[in-house]
Amino acid sequence: MAEGTPSHRMTYGGYLRLDELLELQDGPEGYSPAPCNDEQHFVITHQAFELWFKMILRELKEAHLLLNRNHVDETSLPRLVHHLDRVTEIFRLLSNQWKVMETLSPQDFLAFRDKLGTSSGFESWQMRELEVLLGLDHTQRMGGMDPLLHMRKLAEEGKVSQKVLENFEATSNTPSLNDALMSWLQRTPINGSMQGEDGDEEVIAQFVEGHLDAMKRHGEDVISHIVAIGHGEESQVRPRIEGAYQQAELFLKPEGIVSRARAGLLFIESYPELPLLSWPRRLIDALVGLEQSMILFRSAHARMVERMIGRRMGTGGSSGVDYLDATTKYRVFVDLWAVRTMLVKRDALNDVSEPGMYGFAMGE
């Protein structure tokens, strides 16, 4: 130590606890023989995934705290979007991280694969917790596996700690981010009307019917145009256009009753020029971007595994690549994707009522 250097000075290694961190790549206690170069590569890559999952959970929980409220202050939306955008970028990074795994050849992996035993990526409780936090229902999962029941089983077997199980149960028993989002969308002021006000149901119904009418008019224009330029017969085109209209009607009025949350979503997406709707629109797009980044992450994972082990069974007994491919179809924010199918160009829509509420006044 240089003369005069205080013994308590913070160092890079001390701050990051590198001595401890770099001792964690040699396998479980008593693991023998020590991991070869390829196995250590495998361990480090997956440990890096788990570190990033820890950060993702932190960011999503911060976002959840901001959104899961009876009143969400507009000034909190930029912070909320910031948390979600960071998660999106992390998943983009992790998608590329699978490329590092691809430097492991099939024979390199087979040399130590048996040492993994029955361990499986499904046992990554952080990945399962972030899925539950987002709002992925276990009924959507391949085989309908309930991750909470699976974590309880692992806890009973002593394979996860009680703290892990308690955190998982707490997340499972809290409204998900998607639940909070739909509650927030349901409170969207539509054409100047607030949820619970006298006449609100009528205002929302008029907005929905007005949009459906705009879709119908636009559909007729599309049919006329396609027929006029000779790209199809009306008998071929009309069923597709009318089918899209019927799907929109079912989306906005499930079981014949207007969904205020979906109407709010449609209103935000239809009038992005309104200042008050600018950050809500950014929030919706941030959630779509996040889910897109997760889909790409899952797809990259599946292709890496197929490249390495082909179609053989996974170490945990799953169907391997078939299971991973099925996860690419998972969707949490289903409505945010679906609403884009029914958008109509702005100049075909009705003008907004009470424009002053949304941050500007119409000119004379």
Side-chain angles (χ1 to χ4, degrees), residues 6-32:
S7 60
H8 61 272
R9 182 180 73 84
M10 180 62 71
T11 65
Y12 175 81
Y15 180 72
L16 297 178
R17 298 171 65 180
L18 283 181
D19 282 343
E20 298 167 67
L21 179 64
L22 299 179
E23 290 293 325
L24 300 177
Q25 288 73 51
D26 296 330
E29 186 176 351
Y31 193 69
S32 181

Side-chain angles (χ1 to χ4, degrees), residues 110-275:
L110 289 174
F112 65 85
R113 185 176 190 249
D114 290 344
K115 295 170 71 175
L116 302 179
T118 60
S119 63
S120 166
F122 191 84
E123 295 171 343
S124 169
W125 64 79
Q126 292 195 116
M127 185 64 178
R128 301 291 79 79
E129 185 180 356
L130 73 87
E131 290 172 343
V132 171
L133 180 59
L134 286 171
L136 180 66
D137 191 270
H138 71 269
T139 58
Q140 300 178 54
R141 298 180 185 275
M142 186 177 182
M145 181 179 286
D146 185 337
L148 179 56
L149 294 180
H150 188 67
M151 287 301 134
R152 285 173 176 164
K153 182 175 182 292
L154 291 177
E156 288 173 2
E157 296 170 353
K159 295 176 181 176
V160 299
S161 70
Q162 193 61 32
K163 181 181 178 182
V164 166
L165 180 59
E166 288 173 0
N167 288 340
F168 205 98
E169 288 183 329
T171 298
S172 299
N173 294 325
T174 302
S176 69
L177 193 62
N178 191 45
D179 292 334
L181 171 71
M182 298 312 291
S183 295
W184 173 74
L185 286 171
Q186 191 158 331
R187 301 191 295 270
T188 303
I190 298 175
N191 278 332
S193 182
M194 304 291 289
Q195 183 186 24
E197 289 183 346
D198 289 342
D200 179 65
E201 291 185 5
E202 290 78 7
V203 172
I204 306 310
Q206 289 173 6
F207 165 68
V208 168
E209 291 304 324
H211 189 88
L212 290 172
D213 286 345
M215 282 191 69
K216 188 173 288 187
R217 292 193 301 270
H218 177 68
E220 292 298 328
D221 291 342
V222 170
I223 292 171
S224 297
H225 177 70
I226 290 177
V227 172
I229 63 176
H231 279 197
E233 299 292 331
E234 181 175 343
S235 60
Q236 299 170 323
V237 179
R238 181 170 293 280
R240 294 173 58 189
I241 298 296
E242 291 183 349
Y245 174 86
Q246 290 163 4
Q247 286 296 315
E249 189 173 35
L250 184 62
F251 177 84
L252 294 168
K253 297 191 292 184
E255 299 181 357
I257 300 172
V258 171
S259 165
R260 201 184 193 290
R262 288 175 172 177
L265 171 61
L266 178 63
F267 188 77
I268 292 169
E269 288 281 17
S270 295
Y271 301 100
E273 76 278 6
L274 300 180

Side-chain angles (χ1 to χ4, degrees), residues 103-115:
T103 64
L104 194 64
S105 75
Q107 284 294 341
D108 292 337
F109 180 55
L110 289 174
F112 65 85
R113 185 176 190 249
D114 290 344
K115 295 170 71 175

Side-chain angles (χ1 to χ4, degrees), residues 45-109:
T45 302
H46 284 80
Q47 286 184 343
F49 276 124
E50 292 298 330
L51 285 172
W52 282 119
F53 290 162
K54 180 177 181 177
M55 192 69 241
I56 288 171
L57 271 171
R58 177 72 177 268
E59 296 292 344
L60 290 179
K61 288 181 178 181
E62 292 288 340
H64 185 267
L65 281 174
L66 293 172
L67 191 60
N68 189 34
R69 300 178 178 181
N70 292 329
H71 172 72
V72 179
D73 195 307
E74 282 80 7
T75 60
S76 69
L77 293 184
R79 281 190 295 139
L80 210 166
V81 170
H82 170 71
H83 291 305
L84 298 174
D85 283 347
R86 177 172 288 169
V87 173
T88 298
E89 291 306 319
I90 292 172
F91 270 116
R92 286 177 179 163
L93 172 67
L94 296 184
S95 292
N96 287 326
Q97 191 164 298
W98 291 122
K99 286 292 184 184
V100 181
M101 279 292 294
E102 290 178 2
T103 64
L104 194 64
S105 75
Q107 284 294 341
D108 292 337
F109 180 55

